[in-house]
Amino acid sequence: MNGIRGWKGLKGVAWLGLVLAVALLGWNIIAGGGAMASPAEGSRMLTVTGQGSVSVENSIALIRLGVVIQGETAQSVQQQVAERSERLVNRLKELQVGALQTTGISLYPQYDYRDGQPRLTGVQGQNSLQFEVPVARAGQVLDEAVAAGATQVESVSFRADEATLLEARSRALTQAVKDAQRQAQDVLGALNLSIRSVERIQIQSDGYMIPPPIPFARADYARLETASTPVEGGQQTVRAQVTLEIRY
């Protein structure tokens, strides 16, 4: 009997301990209700994407031109192309153009396909060059290049220098961040909420919008020998896009 009473006593103590533990847990839940709710509140996130763009003046012209010769034999055509190209390259070096390089060399026969039968009419040879020059000097250099032997101006495109592009990119990113912050403040302010912290920053895209090359027709470069060629570099736009994940 004493053993049974002892067992029942231990069992009662165990139940009492369980009741006290449950009561204590309930009290912690009631007393600390705000603390338990805070993870849910802290997990509230707002994602906003800001845009920024800066226009800059183009200061560098990328010019592509060539020497095109037509003749009766491959040897004579190649010789003429080589002589003109050498004069042209030497003159461009004297003018101190930048990034001068050969972009293409070709020599191919020309045929007349009248009456369905190919008939060899001659040979055409071409040597193409590419270089960079400040926009302010582009017109003069084009005129000098034609005078030195260039027979074809293929295209002219423009860009800003690297230092200007880097500075514009920095400004565009700053604009994008401010735009994203402004959006977040407008939305949360309308809901009587406030920004707690920025949890993540992502630069989604940024780049330089470069104007496409301007092609020159044969009639255009034929006039370069008698008139000073005006060249306007225009502008290009540097864009940036930034996404912020904001805790509120």
Side-chain angles (χ1 to χ4, degrees), residues 81-98:
V81 170
E83 291 174 355
R84 278 188 175 237
S85 298
E86 184 178 9
R87 291 199 306 270
L88 175 58
V89 168
N90 290 337
R91 184 58 182 143
L92 291 174
K93 288 181 178 179
E94 290 174 357
L95 293 169
Q96 298 182 337
V97 302

Side-chain angles (χ1 to χ4, degrees), residues 69-90:
I69 299 294
Q70 295 179 346
E72 295 182 356
T73 67
Q75 185 175 2
S76 64
V77 168
Q78 180 62 27
Q79 183 65 31
Q80 293 179 65
V81 170
E83 291 174 355
R84 278 188 175 237
S85 298
E86 184 178 9
R87 291 199 306 270
L88 175 58
V89 168
N90 290 337

Side-chain angles (χ1 to χ4, degrees), residues 46-82:
L46 173 67
T47 301
V48 289
T49 298
Q51 309 287 341
S53 65
V54 176
S55 295
V56 295
E57 294 292 331
N58 291 317
S59 58
I60 298 174
L62 175 63
I63 299 175
R64 296 179 181 177
L65 48 76
V67 174
V68 180
I69 299 294
Q70 295 179 346
E72 295 182 356
T73 67
Q75 185 175 2
S76 64
V77 168
Q78 180 62 27
Q79 183 65 31
Q80 293 179 65
V81 170

